[in-house]
Amino acid sequence: MSIIYTVCTNVGRAIIKSHISNHPDIKISAIVSLSISQGLKKSNYDNCLDLALENKIPHYFVNSINDLRILRKFKKIKPNLIIQSGWSEKFSYELLQIPKYGCLGEHPSPIPKGRGAATINWAIINGESEWADSFFIMNQNYDDGPVISQKKFSIKKKDNVKNVYDNVALKSYLAIRENLKLWAEGDFKFVNTKTNSPSYFKQRKPADGLILHTMSVTQQINFVRALTKPYPGAFFYLFKKKIIVIEADKVLATKIIGNLRRLE
């Protein structure tokens, strides 16, 4: 019985830690991560190389998960499962067929709501207060397939993108602790997701972080919360100089006027 992990974020780290701590009898045959050159394009990149070295687990860097050399290695291992987290590249049909019980994906949304990219950023921008972390059986469509775990959590008004991702990591840790033994034996309990309205989020670029004057105060604050560190940040221009906003909050206009008068 063995598992292969393809991970590249802090959530993947939590998943592997949960496996090591709670299921030492199930072998981790390999950890695969994005190459450093590719990974540095991700704001929350984590290759988990240290976990692999500490626990004597084979580790591979790849530019593509569908590389023929990696597929050959996976076929030799004959894993029960391949579990991915944070991986943007679509798995090929050939890769999906390798594990005995399939490939499992972790996605930080209440699937089918929030499929796609930059899920947590969009959830905060949109002012979501209830969210979830999901595991599902992968197919050739993005973030599709039967959901086998969905752990809900609240997004508070003061939470920023890092706080929420830490919560996602915790939910993923718990899902692996509670379910991995059954999943590794091909025993899946499916979650009813019919109450979650389907939606799809598009990928975001750093230039999308421009704060617009047409936004309400709440929208601007949500924008800052969603795009703060480790992401490039929300920003505006003042006298042609780019100002990146790390944190923001509402203040009374009278306080601003009073401070300006004191400055005079």
Side-chain angles (χ1 to χ4, degrees):
M1 187 182 295
S2 72
I3 312 287
I4 293 173
Y5 287 101
T6 63
V7 297
C8 52
T9 70
N10 67 309
V11 179
R13 173 176 290 272
I15 288 170
I16 293 170
K17 280 188 170 184
S18 184
H19 182 142
I20 292 168
S21 298
N22 299 295
H23 304 282
D25 53 322
I26 301 176
K27 182 180 179 182
I28 301 178
S29 295
I31 296 174
V32 180
S33 185
L34 279 176
S35 64
I36 293 174
S37 61
Q38 291 288 323
L40 291 178
K41 298 174 184 177
K42 295 180 74 73
S43 295
N44 53 349
Y45 175 60
D46 187 339
N47 58 44
C48 298
L49 178 60
D50 57 320
L51 285 179
L53 294 174
E54 288 169 12
N55 295 278
K56 299 180 180 178
I57 301 167
H59 185 285
Y60 305 99
F61 285 108
V62 298
N63 288 320
S64 170
I65 194 61
N66 298 307
D67 187 294
L68 292 178
R69 292 168 296 180
I70 284 294
L71 296 185
R72 284 196 291 267
K73 288 182 186 294
F74 287 1
K75 287 176 180 177
K76 286 182 181 179
I77 293 171
K78 298 179 180 178
N80 291 57
L81 295 170
I82 294 175
I83 300 178
Q84 73 82 13
S85 173
W87 209 272
S88 301
E89 183 184 11
K90 187 179 288 189
F91 280 29
S92 66
Y93 178 80
E94 185 178 2
L95 174 54
L96 292 170
Q97 299 307 304
I98 291 174
K100 185 176 181 179
Y101 299 119
C103 296
L104 306 184
E106 177 274 329
H107 187 69
S109 86
I111 291 174
K113 184 176 183 177
R115 290 176 174 143
T119 305
I120 298 302
N121 310 86
W122 280 115
I124 298 173
I125 288 171
N126 293 340
E128 299 285 356
S129 58
E130 295 295 325
W131 208 241
D133 183 58
S134 303
F135 282 82
F136 61 99
I137 301 173
M138 296 173 66
N139 58 32
Q140 288 190 283
N141 298 318
Y142 278 118
D143 308 322
D144 198 10
V147 175
I148 55 175
S149 171
Q150 192 164 93
K151 290 191 171 294
K152 297 181 179 180
F153 60 89
S154 297
I155 299 178
K156 299 176 183 177
K157 290 184 178 180
K158 294 291 186 180
D159 283 341
N160 61 31
V161 66
K162 184 182 183 305
N163 302 145
V164 179
Y165 260 116
D166 287 344
N167 211 342
V168 169
L170 174 60
K171 298 303 181 185
S172 288
Y173 181 100
L174 296 174
I176 291 295
R177 185 179 71 180
E178 295 165 11
N179 299 296
L180 185 62
K181 182 172 177 55
L182 292 173
W183 292 349
E185 295 171 348
D187 186 352
F188 304 112
K189 293 178 174 58
F190 302 111
V191 178
N192 184 353
T193 61
K194 290 182 180 179
T195 58
N196 300 339
S197 301
S199 63
Y200 187 88
F201 293 146
K202 67 178 183 178
Q203 193 171 19
R204 296 188 60 84
K205 305 183 294 294
D208 297 329
L210 177 63
I211 300 170
L212 303 175
H213 72 276
T214 53
M215 294 176 175
S216 69
V217 173
T218 297
Q219 288 173 326
Q220 291 179 358
I221 290 172
N222 288 348
F223 218 57
V224 172
R225 292 166 55 219
L227 303 177
T228 193
K229 295 180 179 180
Y231 288 84
F235 64 92
F236 64 93
Y237 288 99
L238 182 65
F239 304 121
K240 298 183 180 181
K241 183 176 181 180
K242 184 178 181 180
I243 308 296
I244 297 174
V245 185
I246 303 301
E247 189 174 348
D249 204 350
K250 289 183 182 180
V251 294
L252 293 174
T254 52
K255 288 186 178 180
I256 297 174
I257 294 168
N259 287 334
L260 289 173
R261 283 173 178 167
R262 281 196 291 273
L263 287 172
E264 291 173 353

